[in-house]
Every structure is written in structure tokens, then in C-alpha cells.
Amino acid sequence: MATAGLVSISFRSICPEELIAAAREAGLAAIEWGGDVHSPHGDVARAKEIAAATRAAGLTMPEYGSYYIIGKSEHSLFSEVVKSAKALGTHVIRVWPCMNMPSDTLSAEDYDRCVKDAQRICDEAADMTVALECHPGGLTDEYHTALAFIADVGRDNLKMMWQPNQHRPLEYNLDAIRALYPYIVGVHVFFWKRKERFPLKDGESDWKRYIELLRGKDIPFMLEFMHDNNIKTLKETAGTLLKWLKEA
């Protein structure tokens, strides 16, 4: 069965120690630590503390959720990101592909800058996987542009996180999985319709189809931004995801 876990930024106000306890109580097996609050970029000492506590609880850390923005962030930031990822002991670094610049608005100059920056960070982290966030409002806001970008960067260690686009219909999201399948190394799980959040269980028909398409991949499914922002209901939401993964 695929791994089920939690994206820590879903609960930014809760400390790592409490999140570890809540994730374990909910039956989850993994945590993606965020680089903005819980495991700040370059704070190696804190990353090592979090890694030790996470492993002691029997949880894994399949990816590091960085806030490096391709084409925008200072180049030196990525070196700090790599330090934290290695201190955590994860081999996957999530990055943001030129956010707040939708793919259909990028100039040729902007696009070329993003390609070169992605090549640079992939080369810097050559022994790791660099995974593009799949998100509206950036280079991966449409799966055709995501595929083109990966091809233009031309680095074997450039992969994709995947999540449904809440602004698109089900069939689009199914097509996106099929197209991006070779590159998907992790999934962020939620059920939204545009900006409105719903309990995960309400998305059963959609999510069972997503999971079915991804069944052949050994990847983590990570809960993110649940409908009520309430850590007390994490166990219920986790139970929904665990049930689906077990049935797949």
C-alpha cells in the first residue's frame, strides 16, 4: 500500500513535536516538513532535531517542502534548502516553478530564465530529486506546459509533485495524471472546488479514480490543507485516505 502522510504547512501554528504526535495517532506514516516555519531553510540544527524526533516516532520524511521559487529566488537560497533537506535525510526537494506568473503570461525571456535556473538547481542537487510543485499560477498550471518545461530543462532528476487542479474538471485532472505519470514522485491530497474546501470524504469518487491511475507507483499521498484546519479531525481525514489506499 502507498504511504499516507501529512504536509506540515497544513498546520503552521502547531509545533513539530505536536504534529508528529498527531500524525502518529492518526495512523499516518510520513510528514513533509515545510521550509518556511517548521524546518527553516538552512537551519541544519533544527532539521536534525526534527529528523530525530520524526524517526523516533516511526515516521518517514519523503520530501522537504521548500519555498525556493524557480526564476525568482536568490540563487544562494537553494544551497540553504539543500542543507536542510540533507539534514532531514530526505532525497526529494519540492520547489515552486515561477509562481504568480501564469504559464500563458511568461515572456520568452522569463521562460528562458526559469529553464536555466531549474538546470542550475538540478545540477547543484544532482544526487537528489527536485520536484516541481503542481499549482495554479505558475509554470505547472497546465500539464502541457509542465511537460514542455521538464523537457526543456533536460535533467533526469527533475520530477513532479501532483495534486488536482481545483479550477479544472475531473477529466482534465485524470488526463494530467496520465501525461505526467512518469515524473510524479508524490501527491498532495485535498478536496477543494476553486477556493471552497470540503471534507476529503466528499471527494471519494474523484480520488478513487486518481488513486487507481497512480496505483502502480510507490509514492506518498500527503494530506494538505484540510477543510476545517483542525488538527483534532486529522484522524478522521487520515482514516478516509487510508481506507482508499487500502482498497486500491
Side-chain angles (χ1 to χ4, degrees):
M1 187 174 75
T3 299
L6 174 68
V7 178
S8 79
I9 62 166
S10 303
F11 301 104
R12 283 187 170 97
S13 64
I14 296 178
C15 71
E17 292 75 15
E18 290 183 60
L19 282 181
I20 290 169
R24 186 176 182 182
E25 171 65 21
L28 298 172
I31 297 179
E32 175 198 299
W33 292 110
D36 57 346
V37 174
H38 293 118
S39 184
H41 306 137
D43 189 342
V44 170
R46 185 57 174 146
K48 288 181 177 179
E49 290 174 355
I50 291 173
T54 306
R55 292 193 188 96
L59 306 178
T60 63
M61 293 161 284
E63 65 251 4
Y64 177 49
S66 91
Y67 283 85
Y68 185 86
I69 302 175
I70 292 173
K72 287 190 174 182
S73 292
E74 292 292 330
H75 287 186
S76 59
L77 176 62
F78 192 70
S79 297
E80 301 303 299
V81 167
V82 171
K83 290 176 185 177
S84 288
K86 290 186 174 181
L88 288 169
T90 184
H91 297 285
V92 178
I93 298 172
R94 176 175 59 80
V95 298
W96 292 74
C98 201
M99 292 310 297
N100 299 319
M101 295 182 71
S103 60
D104 61 359
T105 68
L106 282 179
S107 67
E109 181 181 3
D110 288 335
Y111 184 80
D112 185 58
R113 184 179 70 254
C114 289
V115 168
K116 290 178 178 177
D117 195 26
Q119 290 171 336
R120 183 189 64 80
I121 65 173
C122 284
D123 291 345
E124 183 172 344
D127 58 341
M128 307 177 81
T129 295
V130 176
L132 300 171
E133 174 79 5
C134 183
H135 202 282
L139 269 169
T140 54
D141 59 7
E142 210 285 333
Y143 71 83
H144 294 95
T145 60
L147 285 171
F149 184 68
I150 290 170
D152 289 340
V153 173
R155 296 296 189 269
D156 291 341
N157 62 330
L158 183 62
K159 305 295 183 181
M160 284 284 304
M161 302 299 296
W162 185 81
Q163 63 189 45
N165 187 325
Q166 70 268 29
H167 302 282
R168 299 275 195 159
L170 171 64
E171 288 304 323
Y172 169 87
N173 286 314
L174 293 171
D175 286 344
I177 291 176
R178 295 184 186 103
L180 295 167
Y181 186 90
Y183 304 103
I184 295 172
V185 295
V187 178
H188 287 167
V189 180
F190 55 83
F191 187 57
W192 295 16
K193 291 183 179 179
R194 297 189 181 275
K195 293 184 178 181
E196 189 173 0
R197 304 183 186 187
F198 296 89
L200 185 62
K201 64 183 180 181
D202 292 358
E204 179 171 3
S205 60
D206 288 5
W207 270 104
K208 282 196 168 182
R209 294 189 69 182
Y210 300 151
I211 291 168
E212 175 65 23
L213 284 182
L214 292 162
R215 188 172 58 176
K217 297 183 78 72
D218 182 15
I219 56 176
F221 286 75
M222 310 293 282
L223 293 169
E224 182 179 52
F225 294 126
M226 281 136 280
H227 66 290
D228 56 3
N229 292 322
N230 189 346
I231 194 70
K232 293 181 179 179
T233 61
L234 175 62
K235 188 172 184 178
E236 179 183 348
T237 303
T240 297
L241 176 58
L242 288 165
K243 178 176 178 287
W244 295 344
L245 293 176
K246 184 176 181 180
E247 292 172 349

